[in-house]
């Protein structure tokens, strides 16, 4: 079975304002405001440039950041949250 | 309705209708220096009515009505009709205002710049605004600060200042020459007495100000100050806003602008004098 692909919601659907450790995101389609922290902004930034599989996303994050003991399962959980809020879509 | 009162407070025009004369007479007396709604057309309507016809006379109980209502709001005795009117007017603003981002905050102004003070009930918002208003600041409001999403400016809403419990004596001693409403004892919020904003606050209520300092006061603690991070400010201000969600992206823009541009500080204080000194010192350090 083909791996699932992820992409960020369309750029014009999101207003992203970094505050400090937290970033506040307004999601235009739902009118909801989300207060997120790492790695959500980093995931959104990568998925706004490319449509990626979970493994490719994990590799990109690993190349840019020291992920410590981050696992594919943990990334699945974060992606699941972002998909549920509409900030990330499955392609 | 039998008795009608109309008033404009800042940008909001109200029409208050009542089954009884007494609350309207109080409103007329206390809001004597205020204008009527623009072009005679109110933005919000409030009704004070008897839930049953005999309740106009027999243990009269004031039920609140209007464009926006809380379904489980308990009626108040007629002796607290003024409080009923004020609560209902606040409710219309809290739930119905769409032009401005509403912050549950008091505001005072000096030289075109405003201090906003927000916090839970009992934090001292109204008391501090009233006391600063007696010390050369212009009172802009004790309940709602209205942020214009287009400009970021704060607009005044100088309704009657609602003083509760110990604040009644504190403000009464500080500004004995001020005009007050009747003492409303034993209300659901304790003892309440309304302070009439001074004539300057009313005459200049259409002048907006630049938000310059955001304070989170807390009464009943030793003097202390604390910086707040932008995300904490954002969360606390969205909690303090009654219409952030309703305003959608305009609310988001207005809120992030306040968080980004306005210096903020949490201040603890044991008494009003200590709070005033802290406010003045922070203002002078801007």
């Amino acid at each position: 079975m083909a791996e699932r692909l992820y992409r960020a919601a369309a750029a014009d659907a999101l207003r992203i304002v970094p505050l400090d450790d937290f970033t506040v995101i307004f999601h235009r389609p739902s009118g909801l405001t989300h207060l997120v922290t790492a790695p959500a902004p980093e995931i959104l930034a990568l998925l706004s440039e490319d449509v990626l599989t979970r493994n490719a996303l994990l590799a990109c994050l690993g190349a840019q950041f020291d992920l410590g003991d981050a696992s594919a399962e943990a990334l699945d959980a974060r992606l699941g949250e972002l998909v549920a809020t509409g900030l990330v879509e499955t392609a | 309705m039998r008795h009608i009162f109309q008033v404009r407070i800042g940008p909001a025009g109200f029409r208050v209708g009542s089954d009884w004369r007494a609350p309207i007479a109080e409103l007329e007396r206390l809001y004597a220096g205020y204008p009527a709604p623009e072009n005679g057309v109110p933005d919000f309507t409030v009704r004070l009515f008897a839930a049953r016809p005999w309740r106009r006379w027999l243990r009269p109980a004031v039920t609140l009505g209007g464009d926006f209502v809380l379904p489980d709001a308990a009626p108040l005795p007629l002796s607290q009709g003024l409080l009923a009117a004020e609560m209902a007017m606040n409710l219309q603003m809290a739930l119905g205002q769409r032009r401005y981002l509403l912050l549950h905050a008091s505001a005072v102004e000096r030289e075109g710049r405003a201090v906003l003070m927000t916090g839970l009930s009992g934090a001292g918002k109204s008391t501090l605004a009233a006391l600063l208003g007696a010390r050369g600041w212009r009172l802009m409001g004790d309940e709602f600060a209205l942020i214009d999403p287009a400009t970021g400016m704060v607009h005044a809403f100088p309704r009657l200042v609602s003083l509760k419990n110990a604040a009644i004596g504190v403000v009464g001693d500080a500004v004995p020459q001020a005009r007050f409403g009747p003492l409303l004892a034993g209300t659901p919020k304790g003892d309440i007495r309304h302070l009439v904003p001074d004539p300057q606050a009313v005459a200049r209520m259409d002048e907006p100000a630049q938000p310059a300092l955001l304070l989170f006061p807390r009464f009943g603690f030793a003097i202390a100050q604390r910086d707040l991070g932008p995300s904490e400010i954002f969360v606390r201000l969205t909690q303090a806003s009654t219409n952030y969600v309703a305003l959608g992206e305009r609310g988001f823009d207005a809120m992030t602008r306040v968080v980004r541009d306005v210096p903020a500080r949490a201040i603890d204080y044991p008494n009003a004098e200590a709070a005033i000194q802290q406010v003045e010192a922070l203002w002078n350090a801007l």
Side-chain angles (χ1 to χ4, degrees):
Chain A
M1 196 173 83
E3 271 195 272
R4 182 176 287 177
L5 290 165
Y6 296 93
R7 68 178 170 223
D12 63 4
L14 303 179
R15 294 280 312 282
I16 301 176
V17 178
L19 294 177
D20 38 40
D21 288 344
F22 288 86
T23 294
V24 65
I25 301 174
F26 185 78
H27 183 236
R28 283 182 171 137
S30 65
L32 294 180
T33 303
H34 302 278
L35 195 65
V36 300
T37 188
E42 292 79 6
I43 291 173
L44 281 173
L46 287 166
L47 293 180
S48 67
E49 293 171 3
D50 274 315
V51 180
L52 298 171
T53 65
R54 176 252 277 162
N55 286 337
L57 176 62
L58 188 59
C60 289
L61 286 168
Q64 291 187 16
F65 306 99
D66 177 8
L67 294 183
D69 58 356
S71 65
E73 289 71 28
L75 182 57
D76 276 340
R78 299 291 84 73
L79 279 170
E81 293 162 2
L82 291 169
V83 169
T85 56
L87 300 179
V88 165
E89 300 165 353
T90 52
Chain B
M1 308 229 43
R2 304 179 163 229
H3 307 282
I4 301 291
F5 171 70
Q6 298 205 93
V7 67
R8 179 167 71 82
I9 307 172
F14 295 92
R15 179 181 194 272
V16 182
S18 170
D19 276 348
W20 303 271
R21 173 69 191 148
I24 297 299
E26 284 292 358
L27 290 168
E28 287 172 348
R29 182 173 77 83
L30 296 170
Y31 281 107
Y34 286 66
E38 293 272 344
N39 305 316
V41 182
D43 300 282
F44 301 111
T45 299
V46 164
R47 291 183 299 126
L48 310 177
F49 63 98
R52 297 281 182 276
W54 58 87
R55 278 301 187 109
R56 288 225 306 268
W57 303 284
L58 185 67
R59 282 186 291 118
V62 182
T63 303
L64 306 185
D67 303 321
F68 299 90
V69 295
L70 293 179
D72 53 354
L76 290 166
L78 181 56
S79 60
Q80 296 172 12
L82 174 62
L83 174 64
E86 286 288 308
M87 286 170 61
M89 288 160 76
N90 282 342
L91 190 64
Q92 307 313 305
M93 282 293 281
L95 300 183
Q97 177 58 247
R98 291 289 181 274
R99 189 167 150 205
Y100 301 95
L101 177 68
L102 248 71
L103 298 179
H104 189 215
S106 62
V108 293
E109 176 264 359
R110 189 187 267 173
E111 296 167 351
R113 301 193 303 157
V115 180
L116 311 183
M117 295 171 281
T118 184
L120 300 174
S121 182
K125 296 183 297 290
S126 298
T127 311
L128 297 182
L131 294 176
L132 289 164
R135 298 189 184 204
W137 295 76
R138 168 171 63 111
L139 174 76
M140 296 186 77
D142 80 313
E143 181 77 7
F144 294 123
L146 316 180
I147 307 291
D148 185 342
T151 64
M153 300 288 274
V154 58
H155 288 250
F157 184 68
R159 58 156 212 170
L160 302 178
V161 176
S162 172
L163 301 170
K164 299 180 193 76
N165 302 315
I168 296 170
V170 171
V171 175
D173 290 344
V175 276
Q177 74 281 12
R179 292 172 56 217
F180 292 91
L183 175 65
L184 306 172
T187 79
K189 298 176 176 180
D191 293 349
I192 289 185
R193 195 168 187 196
H194 292 96
L195 164 71
V196 179
D198 67 41
Q200 179 196 215
V202 180
R204 296 178 57 201
M205 69 183 183
D206 295 331
E207 292 178 30
Q210 186 77 46
L213 182 60
L214 178 60
L215 296 178
F216 296 85
R218 208 165 56 138
F219 169 67
F221 296 86
I223 293 176
Q225 290 189 17
R226 180 170 71 84
D227 283 326
L228 300 92
S231 54
E232 183 182 355
I233 299 168
F234 186 90
V235 169
R236 290 180 71 159
L237 287 185
T238 49
Q239 288 171 341
S241 174
T242 57
N243 68 352
Y244 170 76
V245 172
L247 256 59
E249 192 168 357
R250 289 195 306 136
F252 178 83
D253 285 337
M255 191 67 84
T256 49
R257 185 173 183 167
V258 170
V259 172
R260 185 190 65 211
D261 293 348
V262 185
R265 198 89 163 153
I267 60 171
D268 290 355
Y269 65 97
N271 56 59
E273 190 56 39
I276 300 289
Q277 286 179 15
Q278 288 189 86
V279 174
E280 293 281 3
L282 287 167
W283 182 258
N284 291 331
L286 285 177

